[in-house]
Amino acid sequence: MAGIFEKLSRDTRSRNALSDLRLEFIRFRRFLENMREIRNLIDDAGDKLREEYIYDRHYVLSLVDAILEEASMLAFNSSVLSPAAGKRIYAQLDAHKIYAQKEFLESDGLSKKDLSLLSTCLDADPETQLLAAVLNWLIGPSPADRPALMDFIRYVTDEVFENCRKEELIEKVGGSIRNMPISDSCSMKLIDVDKVSPSKREGSVSHRDIKCRPFGMLLIGLQSGVTSGGTKEKSGINGWMLFDKEAVSLRICRDNETIHLEAALHGNVASDFIFIYSQNPFDLREALPQGSWVEKTGQGTLAWIYDVSIDHLEKQLVQLGYENIVGKRLKPALEKNGDIVETFTDARKALERFGEQHFDIVVSDIRMDDIDGLEVLEQVVARSERTKVIIITGYATVEVAQEALVKGAFDFIAKPFKPDDLRKIIEKAAKELDK
């Protein structure tokens, strides 16, 4: 009987931990929604100032009210996520509220200190001066004795990720964890936060096993990147993933790098996003596309990709999971065999180069920014029927791969794959050229 009661007690603790983890998962989403809304409000105000919109004082004061409301919710959610920092977070929020109330909401005009920061707007109308002063408060430049609101957001982000409770809760979940070996030296702990009761499962996991869309895209990249025999496999990746049907929360530890990623793909631009927080020394600017919002914090870097199509987000998730296999992993291996290899990350530049120099074999990803792989295929085949084109396809793109074969592709390979798999197809293409 004692053994039965002990098992029931463990199951109860596991269910409670899973429930707490689910709440933590949802709270993180709320926290990120607050941060994103603040940034959207700031961007909107900046656009109005730069593009010389006509607006009145009421718009500016409404902007301040909206910012303070979102900042209050940000403080609440971050304090729940990081209780130890609650007092410090609210102390900083109160300082910003007092400043905004005194300088903007209850004032008939700007103070001399605020006016001294508006060298480019001194001759502008009062509404423009007021909006410029509000933006100085939000993003700087600001006096040393008054940090900008973005400094508050950076501080809160550091506190939330420094005191993240997910790690602690995951250890208590027990049987709800599914262990996912990615390679011999790499593993991930998986937890479906939608599961009501624990169900322990082990074994290799494919993106086809995962119903969560952003998780599937990340997994394509992770399994391709860390099983490729490159440097990642030697150093090893360990971490965890929490997910439901439409969102994923990921923490990866590799050597002395720690990266947190939150992503949601609902199919709605207004709610889809990728958010990343890295603790030093990893530099997110090297890994993200141009146009990403990247901010240095006291302890690391935070970054956002949003307001773009779901196809673009899917591509970025795959690229974040694995580093350009053809360029960084396959190129050195092919060059060892005596092949001459050129790599491009820009499809237009690759096609320009193809117009200058004949290539026997072209390997192209199906999804790229300006020109997709099918267009590359069509242009290459039109210029040189002898050239063999190999298409790399992604998640759920079998129909596209078949279309590529109809249009003249020599072969295709679906992610995830190992560089050896692609090398074999290239060798087969080379033999066809020798016939």
Side-chain angles (χ1 to χ4, degrees), residues 337 339 358-361 385-388 410 424-435:
N337 294 335
D339 297 315
H358 173 77
F359 290 87
D360 292 323
I361 299 171
E385 292 183 0
R386 186 173 184 276
T387 299
K388 305 300 181 185
F410 173 76
K424 289 174 183 176
I425 297 176
I426 291 174
E427 289 172 354
K428 187 168 68 171
K431 289 179 181 177
E432 286 290 319
L433 289 168
D434 291 337
K435 288 182 179 179

Side-chain angles (χ1 to χ4, degrees), residues 138-317:
L138 294 173
I139 59 176
S142 55
D145 61 341
R146 179 182 59 74
L149 189 74
M150 281 303 303
D151 294 323
F152 170 67
I153 291 175
R154 296 183 191 104
Y155 165 75
V156 165
T157 304
D158 281 338
E159 286 290 346
V160 165
F161 284 96
E162 180 69 23
N163 299 288
C164 175
R165 291 179 63 235
K166 291 177 183 175
E167 195 84 31
E168 173 191 339
L169 292 170
I170 286 170
E171 294 302 320
K172 295 178 180 178
V173 167
S176 297
I177 297 175
R178 181 176 182 181
N179 294 312
M180 182 184 74
I182 301 176
S183 72
D184 292 340
S185 60
C186 307
S187 63
M188 300 289 291
K189 296 177 181 177
L190 308 185
I191 299 177
D192 185 345
V193 297
D194 275 344
K195 294 289 185 184
V196 177
S197 59
S199 57
K200 190 171 184 178
R201 297 173 64 195
E202 296 188 359
S204 182
V205 181
S206 164
H207 64 271
R208 296 176 182 85
D209 301 325
I210 304 299
K211 303 305 179 186
C212 172
R213 194 171 187 176
F215 188 173
M217 304 313 297
L218 270 172
L219 196 52
I220 289 172
L222 280 170
Q223 290 185 325
S224 297
V226 300
T227 61
S228 62
T231 56
K232 284 187 179 180
E233 183 157 356
K234 294 178 181 178
S235 61
I237 292 176
N238 293 283
W240 46 255
M241 279 191 190
L242 311 178
F243 62 95
D244 60 16
K245 292 179 181 178
E246 296 171 326
V248 65
S249 179
L250 163 72
R251 181 176 185 267
I252 286 180
C253 298
R254 181 180 65 209
D255 297 333
N256 58 342
E257 299 172 357
T258 301
I259 301 170
H260 299 260
L261 182 144
E262 307 276 333
L265 299 181
H266 303 269
N268 182 349
V269 171
S271 57
D272 295 339
F273 70 89
I274 301 172
F275 173 84
I276 311 160
Y277 175 81
S278 74
Q279 292 170 304
N280 291 330
F282 187 74
D283 187 357
L284 287 176
R285 295 177 193 274
E286 297 177 359
L288 297 175
Q290 286 188 341
S292 304
W293 166 29
V294 182
E295 292 277 351
K296 291 291 290 181
T297 69
Q299 298 178 27
T301 311
L302 66 88
W304 280 93
I305 306 173
Y306 62 88
D307 283 345
V308 292
S309 70
I310 194 166
D311 285 346
H312 182 82
L313 288 174
E314 284 186 344
K315 178 183 176 183
Q316 293 308 320
L317 283 169

Side-chain angles (χ1 to χ4, degrees), residues 48-168:
K48 285 182 169 52
L49 190 65
R50 283 189 299 273
E51 297 175 20
E52 299 182 352
Y53 274 71
I54 297 173
Y55 47 85
D56 58 16
R57 182 180 177 84
H58 175 73
Y59 162 76
V60 182
L61 299 185
S62 297
L63 169 69
V64 173
D65 280 333
I67 292 276
L68 290 176
E69 183 177 353
E70 289 295 334
S72 297
M73 290 305 301
L74 181 77
F76 171 74
N77 286 317
S78 57
S79 295
V80 174
L81 292 167
S82 179
K87 287 185 178 179
R88 296 190 297 274
I89 289 171
Y90 272 103
Q92 290 196 26
L93 174 66
D94 288 343
H96 281 288
K97 281 185 172 180
I98 291 169
Y99 176 81
Q101 196 74 27
K102 178 182 176 183
E103 297 297 325
F104 308 130
L105 300 178
E106 295 178 353
S107 174
D108 293 331
L110 295 175
S111 66
K112 290 183 179 179
K113 180 184 283 189
D114 282 325
L115 284 170
S116 68
L117 298 171
L118 305 180
S119 57
T120 59
C121 300
L122 288 177
D123 297 329
D125 58 77
E127 288 78 15
T128 299
Q129 289 185 354
L130 180 60
L131 183 57
V134 168
L135 282 169
N136 278 339
W137 161 56
L138 294 173
I139 59 176
S142 55
D145 61 341
R146 179 182 59 74
L149 189 74
M150 281 303 303
D151 294 323
F152 170 67
I153 291 175
R154 296 183 191 104
Y155 165 75
V156 165
T157 304
D158 281 338
E159 286 290 346
V160 165
F161 284 96
E162 180 69 23
N163 299 288
C164 175
R165 291 179 63 235
K166 291 177 183 175
E167 195 84 31
E168 173 191 339

